[in-house]
Amino acid sequence: MCQPELVSAIDSAPPVCVLGLGLIGGSLLRAAVRSGRRAWGYNRSVESADAARADGFDADTDLVSTLRRANESGAVIVIAVPMPAVDATLAAIAAHAPNNPITDVVSVKGEVKAAVERAGLSAKFVGGHPMAGTSASGWAVGDADLFVDAVWVVATDEGVDADVWKQVADLALDCGSVVVPAESLEHDRAVARISHLPHLLAETLAITGAAGGELALGLAAGSFRDGTRVAGSAPGLVRAMCEGNRDALLVALDEALDLLQGARTDLLDNGSTARLVDAGFAARGAYQSHERWDIEDIHVGEPDWIDRMRDAGRRGGVIRRSAT
């Protein structure tokens, strides 16, 4: 069950304006339309916009007219561009739709939040991050089912507007996700460990494996394939998210390097990898046994809702769309 005030009636839900129609933005446009919402999108690439229109979706390459339309309709604006394009996108929003509710789907929240503050748009902004994706990119690989049962972080920062927060949470729920409330910098510290570091480890494993030549690549099977999957992601996108979360990623990377150096020392001195392998087995077990629980007793907008939501999110609490 989820809170009644978060269950939107689709007929009265605001339209959605998606800026950027890559894998995440394109999937979001598809999912929003499937949920019954009126939605349209913008993409700088003519090819992607044409492809979206060919698939029956409302898409444009004119950012100004797209934002003016959002302004006139009160649409929720979703920033779905890579981190290097966020500042320019926010400048356009500030010029043409400064009073609209705004969210984003960028994988780093602290840097986006700072950019929003620089643009003077904080009053109507609530960050978001759907924890979903593949190694592919572009409109063609989008999927309306991408967010079904996925976690969608809704930034729960001090002073956030309760009405905008509810609109962003409702959008995530309408796309089929479960909502996890989290403070932006806490989110960044967490995803450095479970999203950004895995990309760097996958790149490292891919390079090390390829250095073994044709025989090594010919023998590679499941563990190598699974371990290097995200190394197939577009390098520019990987760089943008890793470099955008520099400080938190450095901490996680240092810890990983210490573990590997310790394993090397143990193997050299004692002929054993037991310390790392046993600890890793236990850590994987902790992940597999992690359980979510439903947040049912926190009302958005009440005096202490932000602190209570963040605490619930830290402890595994989620908001779900009611089955009824």
mmCIF file of all heavy atoms in Angstrom, residues 56-85:
data_model
loop_
_atom_site.group_PDB
_atom_site.id
_atom_site.type_symbol
_atom_site.label_atom_id
_atom_site.label_comp_id
_atom_site.label_asym_id
_atom_site.label_seq_id
_atom_site.Cartn_x
_atom_site.Cartn_y
_atom_site.Cartn_z
ATOM 1 N N GLY A 56 5.153 7.032 -33.194
ATOM 2 C CA GLY A 56 3.862 7.522 -32.737
ATOM 3 C C GLY A 56 3.903 8.450 -31.546
ATOM 4 O O GLY A 56 2.851 8.754 -30.961
ATOM 5 N N PHE A 57 5.088 8.963 -31.185
ATOM 6 C CA PHE A 57 5.210 9.837 -30.028
ATOM 7 C C PHE A 57 5.388 11.292 -30.465
ATOM 8 O O PHE A 57 5.821 11.579 -31.583
ATOM 9 C CB PHE A 57 6.364 9.387 -29.135
ATOM 10 C CG PHE A 57 6.117 8.055 -28.497
ATOM 11 C CD1 PHE A 57 6.504 6.877 -29.134
ATOM 12 C CD2 PHE A 57 5.467 7.968 -27.278
ATOM 13 C CE1 PHE A 57 6.259 5.641 -28.562
ATOM 14 C CE2 PHE A 57 5.208 6.734 -26.698
ATOM 15 C CZ PHE A 57 5.602 5.565 -27.341
ATOM 16 N N ASP A 58 5.058 12.188 -29.577
ATOM 17 C CA ASP A 58 5.109 13.621 -29.824
ATOM 18 C C ASP A 58 6.516 14.115 -29.463
ATOM 19 O O ASP A 58 6.881 14.157 -28.286
ATOM 20 C CB ASP A 58 4.046 14.305 -28.955
ATOM 21 C CG ASP A 58 3.869 15.779 -29.270
ATOM 22 O OD1 ASP A 58 4.716 16.343 -29.978
ATOM 23 O OD2 ASP A 58 2.866 16.357 -28.792
ATOM 24 N N ALA A 59 7.306 14.466 -30.453
ATOM 25 C CA ALA A 59 8.694 14.864 -30.205
ATOM 26 C C ALA A 59 9.077 16.016 -31.110
ATOM 27 O O ALA A 59 8.568 16.158 -32.222
ATOM 28 C CB ALA A 59 9.639 13.682 -30.432
ATOM 29 N N ASP A 60 10.009 16.853 -30.629
ATOM 30 C CA ASP A 60 10.411 18.055 -31.351
ATOM 31 C C ASP A 60 11.906 18.273 -31.167
ATOM 32 O O ASP A 60 12.512 17.764 -30.214
ATOM 33 C CB ASP A 60 9.628 19.259 -30.800
ATOM 34 C CG ASP A 60 9.544 20.414 -31.788
ATOM 35 O OD1 ASP A 60 10.416 20.495 -32.686
ATOM 36 O OD2 ASP A 60 8.622 21.239 -31.660
ATOM 37 N N THR A 61 12.492 19.053 -32.067
ATOM 38 C CA THR A 61 13.898 19.456 -31.944
ATOM 39 C C THR A 61 14.022 20.927 -31.574
ATOM 40 O O THR A 61 15.133 21.437 -31.498
ATOM 41 C CB THR A 61 14.653 19.200 -33.257
ATOM 42 O OG1 THR A 61 13.992 19.904 -34.324
ATOM 43 C CG2 THR A 61 14.710 17.716 -33.573
ATOM 44 N N ASP A 62 12.897 21.580 -31.342
ATOM 45 C CA ASP A 62 12.881 23.000 -30.977
ATOM 46 C C ASP A 62 12.677 23.111 -29.467
ATOM 47 O O ASP A 62 11.561 22.954 -28.964
ATOM 48 C CB ASP A 62 11.762 23.717 -31.727
ATOM 49 C CG ASP A 62 11.788 25.236 -31.527
ATOM 50 O OD1 ASP A 62 12.259 25.687 -30.465
ATOM 51 O OD2 ASP A 62 11.337 25.949 -32.426
ATOM 52 N N LEU A 63 13.767 23.379 -28.739
ATOM 53 C CA LEU A 63 13.691 23.412 -27.281
ATOM 54 C C LEU A 63 12.806 24.549 -26.792
ATOM 55 O O LEU A 63 12.032 24.379 -25.847
ATOM 56 C CB LEU A 63 15.102 23.543 -26.696
ATOM 57 C CG LEU A 63 15.205 23.607 -25.168
ATOM 58 C CD1 LEU A 63 14.569 22.388 -24.519
ATOM 59 C CD2 LEU A 63 16.658 23.734 -24.738
ATOM 60 N N VAL A 64 12.898 25.695 -27.418
ATOM 61 C CA VAL A 64 12.115 26.850 -26.960
ATOM 62 C C VAL A 64 10.619 26.576 -27.082
ATOM 63 O O VAL A 64 9.852 26.794 -26.133
ATOM 64 C CB VAL A 64 12.511 28.110 -27.746
ATOM 65 C CG1 VAL A 64 11.557 29.264 -27.406
ATOM 66 C CG2 VAL A 64 13.946 28.515 -27.422
ATOM 67 N N SER A 65 10.179 26.079 -28.230
ATOM 68 C CA SER A 65 8.742 25.819 -28.391
ATOM 69 C C SER A 65 8.286 24.689 -27.469
ATOM 70 O O SER A 65 7.163 24.721 -26.941
ATOM 71 C CB SER A 65 8.424 25.479 -29.849
ATOM 72 O OG SER A 65 9.028 24.252 -30.231
ATOM 73 N N THR A 66 9.164 23.707 -27.231
ATOM 74 C CA THR A 66 8.825 22.617 -26.316
ATOM 75 C C THR A 66 8.604 23.150 -24.908
ATOM 76 O O THR A 66 7.640 22.763 -24.223
ATOM 77 C CB THR A 66 9.950 21.560 -26.308
ATOM 78 O OG1 THR A 66 10.126 21.042 -27.622
ATOM 79 C CG2 THR A 66 9.620 20.420 -25.359
ATOM 80 N N LEU A 67 9.476 24.059 -24.467
ATOM 81 C CA LEU A 67 9.347 24.616 -23.116
ATOM 82 C C LEU A 67 8.181 25.594 -23.016
ATOM 83 O O LEU A 67 7.522 25.674 -21.967
ATOM 84 C CB LEU A 67 10.651 25.302 -22.721
ATOM 85 C CG LEU A 67 11.812 24.342 -22.422
ATOM 86 C CD1 LEU A 67 13.106 25.109 -22.210
ATOM 87 C CD2 LEU A 67 11.496 23.487 -21.193
ATOM 88 N N ARG A 68 7.906 26.334 -24.063
ATOM 89 C CA ARG A 68 6.743 27.226 -24.040
ATOM 90 C C ARG A 68 5.454 26.423 -23.905
ATOM 91 O O ARG A 68 4.522 26.823 -23.206
ATOM 92 C CB ARG A 68 6.719 28.093 -25.288
ATOM 93 C CG ARG A 68 7.775 29.206 -25.269
ATOM 94 C CD ARG A 68 7.792 29.993 -26.566
ATOM 95 N NE ARG A 68 8.763 31.098 -26.477
ATOM 96 C CZ ARG A 68 9.167 31.820 -27.519
ATOM 97 N NH1 ARG A 68 8.679 31.560 -28.740
ATOM 98 N NH2 ARG A 68 10.039 32.794 -27.361
ATOM 99 N N ARG A 69 5.420 25.309 -24.564
ATOM 100 C CA ARG A 69 4.270 24.417 -24.436
ATOM 101 C C ARG A 69 4.149 23.901 -23.007
ATOM 102 O O ARG A 69 3.046 23.817 -22.446
ATOM 103 C CB ARG A 69 4.439 23.264 -25.423
ATOM 104 C CG ARG A 69 3.306 22.280 -25.458
ATOM 105 C CD ARG A 69 3.607 21.235 -26.528
ATOM 106 N NE ARG A 69 2.604 20.184 -26.542
ATOM 107 C CZ ARG A 69 2.688 19.082 -27.274
ATOM 108 N NH1 ARG A 69 3.742 18.908 -28.065
ATOM 109 N NH2 ARG A 69 1.730 18.155 -27.225
ATOM 110 N N ALA A 70 5.272 23.564 -22.409
ATOM 111 C CA ALA A 70 5.256 23.126 -21.016
ATOM 112 C C ALA A 70 4.774 24.233 -20.102
ATOM 113 O O ALA A 70 3.986 23.998 -19.172
ATOM 114 C CB ALA A 70 6.657 22.669 -20.608
ATOM 115 N N ASN A 71 5.238 25.420 -20.360
ATOM 116 C CA ASN A 71 4.846 26.575 -19.554
ATOM 117 C C ASN A 71 3.337 26.800 -19.614
ATOM 118 O O ASN A 71 2.679 27.071 -18.607
ATOM 119 C CB ASN A 71 5.594 27.811 -20.042
ATOM 120 C CG ASN A 71 5.243 29.053 -19.252
ATOM 121 O OD1 ASN A 71 5.399 29.100 -18.034
ATOM 122 N ND2 ASN A 71 4.752 30.071 -19.944
ATOM 123 N N GLU A 72 2.777 26.705 -20.804
ATOM 124 C CA GLU A 72 1.344 26.945 -20.985
ATOM 125 C C GLU A 72 0.474 25.871 -20.338
ATOM 126 O O GLU A 72 -0.649 26.147 -19.917
ATOM 127 C CB GLU A 72 1.033 27.021 -22.485
ATOM 128 C CG GLU A 72 1.632 28.237 -23.172
ATOM 129 C CD GLU A 72 1.595 28.138 -24.685
ATOM 130 O OE1 GLU A 72 1.089 27.104 -25.198
ATOM 131 O OE2 GLU A 72 2.069 29.075 -25.360
ATOM 132 N N SER A 73 0.993 24.663 -20.241
ATOM 133 C CA SER A 73 0.188 23.543 -19.745
ATOM 134 C C SER A 73 0.484 23.159 -18.297
ATOM 135 O O SER A 73 -0.200 22.297 -17.734
ATOM 136 C CB SER A 73 0.421 22.323 -20.634
ATOM 137 O OG SER A 73 1.773 21.911 -20.567
ATOM 138 N N GLY A 74 1.513 23.760 -17.702
ATOM 139 C CA GLY A 74 1.894 23.389 -16.339
ATOM 140 C C GLY A 74 2.518 22.019 -16.239
ATOM 141 O O GLY A 74 2.443 21.354 -15.195
ATOM 142 N N ALA A 75 3.163 21.580 -17.291
ATOM 143 C CA ALA A 75 3.741 20.231 -17.335
ATOM 144 C C ALA A 75 4.888 20.071 -16.349
ATOM 145 O O ALA A 75 5.607 21.031 -16.038
ATOM 146 C CB ALA A 75 4.228 19.917 -18.753
ATOM 147 N N VAL A 76 5.064 18.838 -15.887
ATOM 148 C CA VAL A 76 6.265 18.485 -15.139
ATOM 149 C C VAL A 76 7.393 18.335 -16.157
ATOM 150 O O VAL A 76 7.297 17.541 -17.093
ATOM 151 C CB VAL A 76 6.085 17.162 -14.378
ATOM 152 C CG1 VAL A 76 7.395 16.767 -13.676
ATOM 153 C CG2 VAL A 76 4.954 17.274 -13.363
ATOM 154 N N ILE A 77 8.466 19.107 -15.982
ATOM 155 C CA ILE A 77 9.603 19.053 -16.894
ATOM 156 C C ILE A 77 10.621 18.066 -16.350
ATOM 157 O O ILE A 77 11.032 18.156 -15.191
ATOM 158 C CB ILE A 77 10.245 20.437 -17.070
ATOM 159 C CG1 ILE A 77 9.246 21.412 -17.705
ATOM 160 C CG2 ILE A 77 11.515 20.348 -17.914
ATOM 161 C CD1 ILE A 77 9.742 22.849 -17.760
ATOM 162 N N VAL A 78 11.024 17.117 -17.194
ATOM 163 C CA VAL A 78 11.993 16.101 -16.802
ATOM 164 C C VAL A 78 13.287 16.323 -17.584
ATOM 165 O O VAL A 78 13.293 16.249 -18.814
ATOM 166 C CB VAL A 78 11.470 14.684 -17.070
ATOM 167 C CG1 VAL A 78 12.495 13.648 -16.612
ATOM 168 C CG2 VAL A 78 10.130 14.456 -16.394
ATOM 169 N N ILE A 79 14.362 16.602 -16.874
ATOM 170 C CA ILE A 79 15.674 16.778 -17.508
ATOM 171 C C ILE A 79 16.313 15.399 -17.659
ATOM 172 O O ILE A 79 16.643 14.746 -16.677
ATOM 173 C CB ILE A 79 16.568 17.702 -16.660
ATOM 174 C CG1 ILE A 79 15.925 19.077 -16.512
ATOM 175 C CG2 ILE A 79 17.958 17.817 -17.275
ATOM 176 C CD1 ILE A 79 16.609 19.972 -15.494
ATOM 177 N N ALA A 80 16.475 14.978 -18.920
ATOM 178 C CA ALA A 80 17.014 13.644 -19.189
ATOM 179 C C ALA A 80 18.206 13.731 -20.137
ATOM 180 O O ALA A 80 18.385 12.882 -21.002
ATOM 181 C CB ALA A 80 15.922 12.752 -19.776
ATOM 182 N N VAL A 81 19.007 14.768 -19.945
ATOM 183 C CA VAL A 81 20.210 14.957 -20.757
ATOM 184 C C VAL A 81 21.432 14.572 -19.926
ATOM 185 O O VAL A 81 21.365 14.526 -18.693
ATOM 186 C CB VAL A 81 20.337 16.425 -21.228
ATOM 187 C CG1 VAL A 81 19.147 16.821 -22.078
ATOM 188 C CG2 VAL A 81 20.477 17.377 -20.031
ATOM 189 N N PRO A 82 22.574 14.285 -20.559
ATOM 190 C CA PRO A 82 23.794 13.992 -19.797
ATOM 191 C C PRO A 82 24.218 15.194 -18.953
ATOM 192 O O PRO A 82 23.900 16.349 -19.272
ATOM 193 C CB PRO A 82 24.825 13.686 -20.881
ATOM 194 C CG PRO A 82 24.027 13.310 -22.082
ATOM 195 C CD PRO A 82 22.767 14.119 -22.011
ATOM 196 N N MET A 83 24.971 14.924 -17.894
ATOM 197 C CA MET A 83 25.374 15.965 -16.961
ATOM 198 C C MET A 83 26.025 17.179 -17.648
ATOM 199 O O MET A 83 25.735 18.322 -17.277
ATOM 200 C CB MET A 83 26.325 15.364 -15.908
ATOM 201 C CG MET A 83 26.622 16.290 -14.739
ATOM 202 S SD MET A 83 25.173 16.695 -13.751
ATOM 203 C CE MET A 83 25.343 18.470 -13.609
ATOM 204 N N PRO A 84 26.878 17.019 -18.647
ATOM 205 C CA PRO A 84 27.491 18.206 -19.269
ATOM 206 C C PRO A 84 26.498 19.145 -19.933
ATOM 207 O O PRO A 84 26.821 20.312 -20.165
ATOM 208 C CB PRO A 84 28.450 17.591 -20.309
ATOM 209 C CG PRO A 84 28.785 16.243 -19.760
ATOM 210 C CD PRO A 84 27.510 15.770 -19.135
ATOM 211 N N ALA A 85 25.289 18.660 -20.253
ATOM 212 C CA ALA A 85 24.287 19.498 -20.910
ATOM 213 C C ALA A 85 23.270 20.076 -19.938
ATOM 214 O O ALA A 85 22.361 20.810 -20.356
ATOM 215 C CB ALA A 85 23.565 18.689 -21.986
#
